[in-house]
Amino acid sequence: MTDTLSQLSTVFIYVAMGFYAAAFIAFALDLARRGARVTADEVAVVPSAVARRAEVAAPVGASTTTPSASTGQAPPPAPASPPSSSALGRLSSRISARVEDDVMNGAASSTSIRWAFGLTIAGFASHVIATLLRGIAADRVPWANMWEFSMTGTLVIIGVFLVANLKWDIKYLGTFIVGLVLVLQGIALLRYYVPVVPLQPALQSYWLVIHIIVAVLGTAFFALGFALSGLQLLQYRRERQEAESRPQQFKFLATLPSAVALENLAYRINIVGFIAWTFTLIAGAIWAEKAWGRYWGWDTKEVWTFIIWVIYAGYIHARATRGWRGSRSAWLAIIGFAAVLFNFGIVNVFFHGLHAYSGLGS
């Protein structure tokens, strides 16, 4: 029975990944459609060089051949207003209106985004079933090894993304969040899968449950902050190119919130993740005292958990009191999430200690 439920759990994980892959494609199509709309706006609003020359030359040509009826002399040419300035002004207004209507007020209600969000929900439902089946098969909470923690962690990342959309319209993050989950869960399937095993004595504590719950919640919020910070860097680059009248890549960015708005949202989300990570440290220390008789022992896993806390504490402090805004704060958030991934993917596998619960053997 245990093996059957475990195999069913794996089947549902593959089903969930199928839904996530389809959702990733749909989210990417939405970004492509956003970019295509911006390009269409540019083509419609900004005249070509030939058209601009024709606008300027036509009055001049007409004035040299058509004399004035009263004076017999050619009238002076009409002053040519700078077409590029007016065209760029119309383009800026048009794109700004598109951003407000399409992004802030729910335009991402295009067919592709609706399909993408629906497929993400379907994948999340399959993911929940897979996690529950694994827990039932093991007769315990399913996070005793890296495979189970990967399953639970990626589930919570998707769940937080879905719930966050109830407060903020951040569906434009779907490509990045679903893509990240596909990569993490794919690596887990290839490298971390282990059969169901009994829970080790040190893990038989309700403090472990609290510790892991807040850890995966913190990781999920850090993942959202990471995606927003990455977009912030791209948006900042696009805005700088626009200010310098240089060609711009990633046209879809013109339909997303500004770099400042993305930074502010990333900051708020990372604060929530930091609070959860603080409770991770506290619950982990209490669990360590129950399991090994000490609150802190400088184990590799404990040290890296503290390093992550310090990075995000520095990020919040630097932005709030030192004025570290813009790209510097974004890079700090990205470094923090890279440390989270390093803690899970490298420390758990290659650094052996009291927290060596990868389940992969030596």
Side-chain angles (χ1 to χ4, degrees), residues 135-224:
I136 294 171
D139 195 27
R140 54 171 170 75
V141 290
W143 47 56
N145 48 61
M146 288 186 67
W147 164 248
E148 294 173 358
F149 188 85
S150 298
M151 181 188 299
T152 305
T154 51
L155 173 70
V156 175
I157 289 175
I158 293 292
V160 168
F161 169 66
L162 294 175
V163 172
N165 271 282
L166 299 177
K167 181 173 178 59
W168 305 290
D169 184 9
I170 55 172
K171 296 182 183 71
Y172 51 83
L173 289 181
T175 306
F176 310 95
I177 295 299
V178 175
L180 175 67
V181 166
L182 278 172
V183 170
L184 294 178
Q185 192 59 53
I187 293 173
L189 278 167
L190 292 174
R191 303 292 299 174
Y192 300 153
Y193 179 81
V194 292
V196 174
V197 294
L199 200 63
Q200 299 183 35
L203 300 179
Q204 296 174 5
S205 170
Y206 61 86
W207 282 107
L208 167 70
V209 178
I210 299 172
H211 174 66
I212 298 298
I213 286 176
V214 291
V216 296
L217 277 175
T219 301
F221 280 102
F222 287 155
L224 285 185

Side-chain angles (χ1 to χ4, degrees), residues 30-278:
D30 176 70
L31 294 184
R33 291 182 62 182
R34 290 170 182 261
R37 288 202 303 270
V38 173
T39 301
D41 287 344
E42 291 176 345
V43 171
V45 175
V46 180
S48 66
V50 175
R52 289 199 299 270
R53 286 197 299 268
E55 288 179 9
V56 175
V60 175
S63 65
T64 58
T65 58
T66 306
S68 171
S70 60
T71 64
Q73 297 179 350
S81 61
S84 59
S85 299
S86 60
L88 289 175
R90 293 195 302 272
L91 175 62
S92 177
S93 299
R94 189 165 178 173
I95 291 179
S96 297
R98 179 88 69 168
V99 170
E100 183 177 354
D101 294 340
D102 283 6
V103 179
M104 300 302 183
N105 296 332
S109 63
S110 64
T111 302
S112 55
I113 204 70
R114 288 198 302 269
W115 272 100
F117 210 66
L119 288 166
T120 304
I121 293 173
F124 179 74
S126 300
H127 205 153
V128 169
I129 294 172
T131 306
L132 289 176
L133 288 174
R134 178 76 180 198
I136 294 171
D139 195 27
R140 54 171 170 75
V141 290
W143 47 56
N145 48 61
M146 288 186 67
W147 164 248
E148 294 173 358
F149 188 85
S150 298
M151 181 188 299
T152 305
T154 51
L155 173 70
V156 175
I157 289 175
I158 293 292
V160 168
F161 169 66
L162 294 175
V163 172
N165 271 282
L166 299 177
K167 181 173 178 59
W168 305 290
D169 184 9
I170 55 172
K171 296 182 183 71
Y172 51 83
L173 289 181
T175 306
F176 310 95
I177 295 299
V178 175
L180 175 67
V181 166
L182 278 172
V183 170
L184 294 178
Q185 192 59 53
I187 293 173
L189 278 167
L190 292 174
R191 303 292 299 174
Y192 300 153
Y193 179 81
V194 292
V196 174
V197 294
L199 200 63
Q200 299 183 35
L203 300 179
Q204 296 174 5
S205 170
Y206 61 86
W207 282 107
L208 167 70
V209 178
I210 299 172
H211 174 66
I212 298 298
I213 286 176
V214 291
V216 296
L217 277 175
T219 301
F221 280 102
F222 287 155
L224 285 185
F226 163 76
L228 285 165
S229 296
L231 268 183
Q232 173 197 335
L233 291 176
L234 293 176
Q235 188 69 288
Y236 174 76
R237 183 169 180 265
R238 186 198 69 83
E239 290 172 354
R240 187 174 58 186
Q241 290 172 338
E242 183 180 31
E244 297 172 356
S245 300
R246 289 190 291 148
Q248 302 168 28
Q249 295 81 31
F250 307 116
K251 296 293 182 67
F252 71 88
L253 291 170
T255 68
L256 300 187
S258 67
V260 172
L262 291 170
E263 179 185 357
N264 290 336
L265 183 56
Y267 179 66
R268 294 165 67 182
I269 287 176
N270 279 324
I271 285 178
V272 178
F274 176 74
I275 293 171
W277 201 260
T278 301

Side-chain angles (χ1 to χ4, degrees), residues 281 285 288 292 294-307 310 347 351-355:
L281 272 175
W292 304 303
R294 89 292 190 279
Y295 290 98
W296 189 264
W298 297 102
D299 186 72
T300 309
K301 186 77 171 177
E302 295 171 348
V303 170
W304 269 98
T305 302
F306 180 68
I307 288 173
V310 169
V347 172
F351 294 83
H352 299 293
L354 292 175
H355 290 78

Side-chain angles (χ1 to χ4, degrees), residues 1-9 137:
M1 183 66 176
T2 296
D3 291 341
T4 301
L5 291 175
S6 179
Q7 291 170 4
L8 276 176
S9 171

